[in-house]
C-alpha cells in the first residue's frame, strides 16, 4: 500500500488549458518504458542491491546470481590461454633454431585463437551473473528475495521510466484542444511546467 501511494503521488497532475480557460482536470502520467525483467538464468539470487520505490540509473547493479561454475570457466579459460601463449612463444624460439616446424607453430596459433574465443564466451556468460538496470527509472515491484532460486523466464522485478512519458487527461469537448496547444501541468508537490498537446482523440462519455 505504501508503494502504490508513493507511485500515485508521482503520477497524478492537475491540468490547466491555460490558453483557453482556467478550468482544470486530473491527468495521469504514462510511462514510455515499463519493463518486467525476467531471469535468463536458472540460479540462486546471491544479493539484491535495490528496494521497492528506489530510483536506479542505467547500468546500476540490481542483483547478482550465484555463478560459481561460470566464474570457474573464466579462470580455466584464462589459464588455458596463458599456457598456449607460453607454448607458442617456446615453439617460435625453437623454429629459429630448427627445432620446430612451421606447421607446428601454425597449429599452436590456431589453438591460441580458439582459446581466446573460448575466453570471450566464458566472460560473456559470466557477465549474465550481474543484472544491471536497462534504463533509468524507478523500481515499483520486486518479485524475488535474496537467496531465492529462480528458473529461466521467472519475473524478477519491474522498472518504470517516468522521465520520458506523457500526461493523459480528458478535457471537455467544448474546449476544443488541438495538437500544439499549450497546457499547464501542476504536480502534487505544487511544481508546474508548460507542455504541448501532442495527440488527441474523442472519448464518448455515456
Amino acid at each position: 500500500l505504501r508503494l502504490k501511494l508513493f507511485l500515485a503521488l508521482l503520477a497524478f497532475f492537475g491540468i490547466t488549458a491555460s490558453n483557453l480557460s482556467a478550468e482544470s482536470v486530473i491527468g495521469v502520467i504514462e510511462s514510455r518504458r515499463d519493463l518486467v525483467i525476467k531471469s535468463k538464468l536458472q540460479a540462486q539470487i546471491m544479493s539484491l542491491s535495490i528496494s521497492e520505490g528506489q530510483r536506479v540509473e542505467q547500468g546500476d547493479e540490481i542483483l547478482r546470481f550465484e555463478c560459481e561454475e561460470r566464474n570457474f570457466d573464466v579462470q580455466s579459460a584464462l589459464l588455458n590461454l596463458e599456457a598456449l601463449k607460453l607454448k607458442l612463444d617456446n615453439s617460435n624460439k625453437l623454429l629459429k633454431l630448427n627445432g620446430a616446424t612451421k606447421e607446428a607453430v601454425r597449429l599452436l596459433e590456431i589453438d591460441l585463437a580458439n582459446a581466446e574465443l573460448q575466453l570471450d564466451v566464458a566472460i560473456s556468460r559470466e557477465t549474465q551473473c550481474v543484472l544491471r538496470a536497462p534504463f533509468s527509472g524507478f523500481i515499483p515491484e520486486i518479485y524475488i528475495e535474496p537467496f531465492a532460486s529462480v528458473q529461466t523466464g521467472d519475473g524478477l522485478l519491474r522498472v518504470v521510466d517516468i522521465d520520458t512519458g506523457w500526461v493523459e487527461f480528458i478535457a471537455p469537448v467544448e474546449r476544443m484542444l488541438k495538437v500544439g496547444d499549450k497546457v499547464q501541468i501542476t504536480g502534487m508537490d505544487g511544481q508546474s511546467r508548460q507542455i504541448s498537446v501532442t495527440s488527441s482523440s474523442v472519448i464518448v462519455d455515456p
Side-chain angles (χ1 to χ4, degrees):
L1 179 61
R2 176 186 60 80
L3 175 64
K4 290 183 178 179
L5 180 59
F6 166 78
L7 289 178
L9 291 175
L10 288 174
F12 288 94
F13 292 86
I15 314 294
T16 303
S18 56
N19 61 331
L20 296 178
S21 73
E23 182 173 348
S24 295
V25 296
I26 298 296
V28 180
I29 189 169
E30 298 286 351
S31 172
R32 292 189 186 277
R33 294 184 289 186
D34 187 337
L35 177 66
V36 173
I37 299 179
K38 297 184 178 181
S39 177
K40 295 182 179 180
L41 303 179
Q42 179 178 339
Q44 185 181 35
I45 306 296
M46 289 302 295
S47 64
L48 194 61
S49 307
I50 45 86
S51 56
E52 288 187 349
Q54 179 180 333
R55 179 178 175 84
V56 293
E57 301 301 326
Q58 184 176 5
D60 284 354
E61 180 177 318
I62 292 178
L63 61 82
R64 284 180 179 265
F65 294 98
E66 189 285 316
C67 282
E68 184 177 354
E69 182 179 347
R70 296 188 179 211
N71 297 335
F72 174 80
D73 288 343
V74 171
Q75 295 304 315
S76 178
L78 282 169
L79 291 173
N80 184 47
L81 182 62
E82 184 64 25
L84 285 171
K85 285 181 178 179
L86 291 174
K87 285 183 179 180
L88 180 59
D89 184 59
N90 186 58
S91 293
N92 279 320
K93 292 178 180 178
L94 291 174
L95 181 62
K96 293 179 181 179
L97 300 173
N98 295 321
T101 64
K102 292 182 179 180
E103 289 77 11
V105 171
R106 180 55 184 157
L107 286 173
L108 281 173
E109 289 175 342
I110 293 173
D111 288 342
L112 182 63
N114 184 60
E116 290 174 340
L117 179 62
Q118 293 302 316
L119 176 60
D120 288 342
V121 171
I123 291 175
S124 177
R125 294 181 72 246
E126 186 185 43
T127 58
Q128 294 180 337
C129 297
V130 179
L131 180 63
R132 299 186 181 278
F135 51 81
S136 300
F138 286 87
I139 308 293
E141 294 176 290
I142 298 176
Y143 310 128
I144 43 86
E145 296 179 354
F147 309 113
S149 294
V150 296
Q151 304 295 317
T152 303
D154 284 355
L156 302 174
L157 51 93
R158 180 169 159 236
V159 186
V160 179
D161 173 15
I162 64 168
D163 295 331
T164 58
W166 68 91
V167 177
E168 189 172 272
F169 62 95
I170 299 176
V173 68
E174 61 269 16
R175 299 306 174 195
M176 295 297 292
L177 280 174
K178 303 181 299 296
V179 172
D181 285 346
K182 301 295 184 180
V183 295
Q184 182 103 355
I185 65 170
T186 304
M188 297 285 288
D189 57 1
Q191 295 187 18
S192 299
R193 64 180 297 184
Q194 194 175 66
I195 60 175
S196 299
V197 176
T198 57
S199 62
S200 65
S201 60
V202 175
I203 297 177
V204 177
D205 185 349

